[in-house]
Structures are given as C-alpha cells and as structure tokens.
Amino acid sequence: MTQQPHSTQQPHSTSTGGEEKPPVWNDAGRHTGQAPGTRGYGPPPSGAGLAVGGAVFAGVLMLMNGVIAILQGISALAKDDVYTRVGDYVYSINLTGWGVILLCLGAVGAVTGWGILRGMSWARVCGIVLASLSAILQFMFLPYAPIWSVIMIAVDVFVIWALAVYDPKTSGAPQ
C-alpha cells in the first residue's frame, strides 16, 4: 500500500536537478494540461471518448452499409422480382434504377467508411453528405422495404451526429 501525500507535502515530484515539475492535476482534481516531458500520456479531454467511439462506430457502419448496399444493388439488377412491386407511389423508380443507385452509393459508402476508419478528414465530410443522401433515398425506398428503410434512416441520423461532433484535434487521433 502506498502512502498518500500529507497536506504539508507538495503533490508533485521533483526532478533529478531539484527543479519542481508543475502538477498535471489541480487541487480541484481537474486536468490542467500535459505535464512537461510526458509526450501526450494522460487522460483525453472530457467527452472525447464518446465522440471518438462514435466516429469509429460510424466508420464501421458506413463500411458495412456500403457492402450491404452493393449486395442489394446486385440483387436488384440481377432479378427484377427480388422486391415486391408497389402500386402507385409518388417516387417510383424501377428496380433496375434502384440497383444502379444502390450499387454506386454502396461503393462510395464503403470507400468513405474505410477513410473514416483511417482518420482521413475528407471522409468525415463525405460521410455526412452520404449519410444525408442515404436517409433521403431510404425514405424513397420505404414502400419496397419499410422496416429496413426505417432502421437505415435511424442509422444514418446516428452517423451524421457522430461525424459532426467528432473533432480529431481534441481526441488525439491522426488526421
């Protein structure tokens, strides 16, 4: 068991030359910054863990959604009777058209998800744009797969939020 410093002792240590190092934590227990010579070790800024975790999860979702969209596009192109026919719908596009749209957006989404996972700044902006476009297209796809479309709209909203609040400068992630 280690001894805790008494109120008369200084909470920070001295270096070999007798110079005192400034404390990393203040008396209120709050992080005051990086101690000299620590090379960035220490806790991340408050709230950064959720944003970093959300951005990584958004990258995985973009990558997986891209692959799934590619598979949906291939199935819509290969056979026109994969999805049920809808009677009169305002946004009617034939399934071949949906197949091309899903195939193209899926490929771009998969590349964007890979870019988000690699920490590339262009991928965050592209991810927000693609997730917004995907939410709109999933709304138009509601009659063909209603439950799937609602789930995908919710996932797109999460991806937009996660990529919008993530700041790689405060999280310590590579840019």
Side-chain angles (χ1 to χ4, degrees):
M1 188 166 164
T2 61
Q3 290 184 348
Q4 298 295 323
H6 299 294
S7 61
T8 58
Q9 292 178 338
Q10 295 295 327
H12 43 80
S13 63
T14 59
S15 65
T16 56
E19 300 172 11
E20 291 187 7
K21 293 181 181 177
V24 177
W25 303 93
N26 64 12
D27 292 333
R30 294 200 174 140
H31 188 259
T32 59
Q34 180 177 327
T38 59
R39 296 186 185 191
Y41 297 112
S46 64
L50 180 63
V52 171
V56 169
F57 189 55
V60 170
L61 285 175
M62 290 285 292
L63 185 62
M64 295 302 297
N65 288 342
V67 171
I68 290 171
I70 289 171
L71 295 175
Q72 282 180 318
I74 290 171
S75 66
L77 287 172
K79 204 166 187 182
D80 259 358
D81 60 355
V82 172
Y83 296 105
T84 59
R85 296 275 178 196
V86 178
D88 291 329
Y89 184 56
V90 176
Y91 308 110
S92 68
I93 300 174
N94 66 6
L95 286 178
T96 304
W98 277 117
V100 171
I101 290 170
L102 287 170
L103 194 62
C104 294
L105 287 179
V108 174
V111 170
T112 301
W114 172 80
I116 291 169
L117 291 176
R118 299 282 301 160
M120 299 178 183
S121 59
W122 62 266
R124 284 182 49 228
V125 175
C126 189
I128 291 171
V129 170
L130 279 178
S132 302
L133 184 61
S134 173
I136 293 168
L137 290 175
Q138 290 297 333
F139 175 77
M140 294 169 59
F141 201 68
L142 269 169
Y144 296 103
I147 295 172
W148 179 255
S149 293
V150 170
I151 291 170
M152 291 307 299
I153 289 171
V155 166
D156 290 333
V157 169
F158 172 78
V159 168
I160 292 167
W161 170 82
L163 295 177
V165 299
Y166 176 63
D167 185 13
K169 292 181 201 110
T170 61
S171 69
Q175 293 181 356

PDB file of all heavy atoms in Angstrom, residues 14-20:
ATOM      1  N   THR A  14       9.834  16.167  -7.729  1.00  0.00           N
ATOM      2  CA  THR A  14      10.964  16.956  -8.200  1.00  0.00           C
ATOM      3  C   THR A  14      11.786  16.107  -9.129  1.00  0.00           C
ATOM      4  O   THR A  14      11.827  14.894  -9.019  1.00  0.00           O
ATOM      5  CB  THR A  14      11.836  17.430  -7.017  1.00  0.00           C
ATOM      6  OG1 THR A  14      12.300  16.280  -6.326  1.00  0.00           O
ATOM      7  CG2 THR A  14      11.058  18.330  -6.083  1.00  0.00           C
ATOM      8  N   SER A  15      12.412  16.748 -10.068  1.00  0.00           N
ATOM      9  CA  SER A  15      13.272  16.012 -10.986  1.00  0.00           C
ATOM     10  C   SER A  15      14.644  15.842 -10.364  1.00  0.00           C
ATOM     11  O   SER A  15      14.908  16.308  -9.253  1.00  0.00           O
ATOM     12  CB  SER A  15      13.362  16.762 -12.319  1.00  0.00           C
ATOM     13  OG  SER A  15      14.001  18.003 -12.119  1.00  0.00           O
ATOM     14  N   THR A  16      15.552  15.214 -11.072  1.00  0.00           N
ATOM     15  CA  THR A  16      16.876  14.937 -10.530  1.00  0.00           C
ATOM     16  C   THR A  16      17.679  16.216 -10.313  1.00  0.00           C
ATOM     17  O   THR A  16      18.540  16.255  -9.465  1.00  0.00           O
ATOM     18  CB  THR A  16      17.661  14.018 -11.485  1.00  0.00           C
ATOM     19  OG1 THR A  16      17.704  14.632 -12.778  1.00  0.00           O
ATOM     20  CG2 THR A  16      17.004  12.665 -11.577  1.00  0.00           C
ATOM     21  N   GLY A  17      17.373  17.263 -11.025  1.00  0.00           N
ATOM     22  CA  GLY A  17      18.104  18.511 -10.873  1.00  0.00           C
ATOM     23  C   GLY A  17      17.556  19.391  -9.767  1.00  0.00           C
ATOM     24  O   GLY A  17      18.032  20.488  -9.548  1.00  0.00           O
ATOM     25  N   GLY A  18      16.537  18.942  -9.044  1.00  0.00           N
ATOM     26  CA  GLY A  18      15.974  19.724  -7.968  1.00  0.00           C
ATOM     27  C   GLY A  18      14.848  20.652  -8.426  1.00  0.00           C
ATOM     28  O   GLY A  18      14.247  21.323  -7.604  1.00  0.00           O
ATOM     29  N   GLU A  19      14.591  20.703  -9.739  1.00  0.00           N
ATOM     30  CA  GLU A  19      13.517  21.554 -10.230  1.00  0.00           C
ATOM     31  C   GLU A  19      12.186  20.850 -10.028  1.00  0.00           C
ATOM     32  O   GLU A  19      12.080  19.655 -10.210  1.00  0.00           O
ATOM     33  CB  GLU A  19      13.714  21.842 -11.717  1.00  0.00           C
ATOM     34  CG  GLU A  19      15.004  22.544 -12.041  1.00  0.00           C
ATOM     35  CD  GLU A  19      15.228  22.628 -13.541  1.00  0.00           C
ATOM     36  OE1 GLU A  19      14.287  22.327 -14.296  1.00  0.00           O
ATOM     37  OE2 GLU A  19      16.332  22.974 -13.935  1.00  0.00           O
ATOM     38  N   GLU A  20      11.159  21.631  -9.694  1.00  0.00           N
ATOM     39  CA  GLU A  20       9.840  21.047  -9.500  1.00  0.00           C
ATOM     40  C   GLU A  20       9.082  21.016 -10.818  1.00  0.00           C
ATOM     41  O   GLU A  20       9.133  21.970 -11.586  1.00  0.00           O
ATOM     42  CB  GLU A  20       9.043  21.855  -8.480  1.00  0.00           C
ATOM     43  CG  GLU A  20       9.589  21.741  -7.085  1.00  0.00           C
ATOM     44  CD  GLU A  20       8.679  22.405  -6.065  1.00  0.00           C
ATOM     45  OE1 GLU A  20       7.569  22.832  -6.437  1.00  0.00           O
ATOM     46  OE2 GLU A  20       9.080  22.497  -4.917  1.00  0.00           O
TER      47      GLU A  20
END
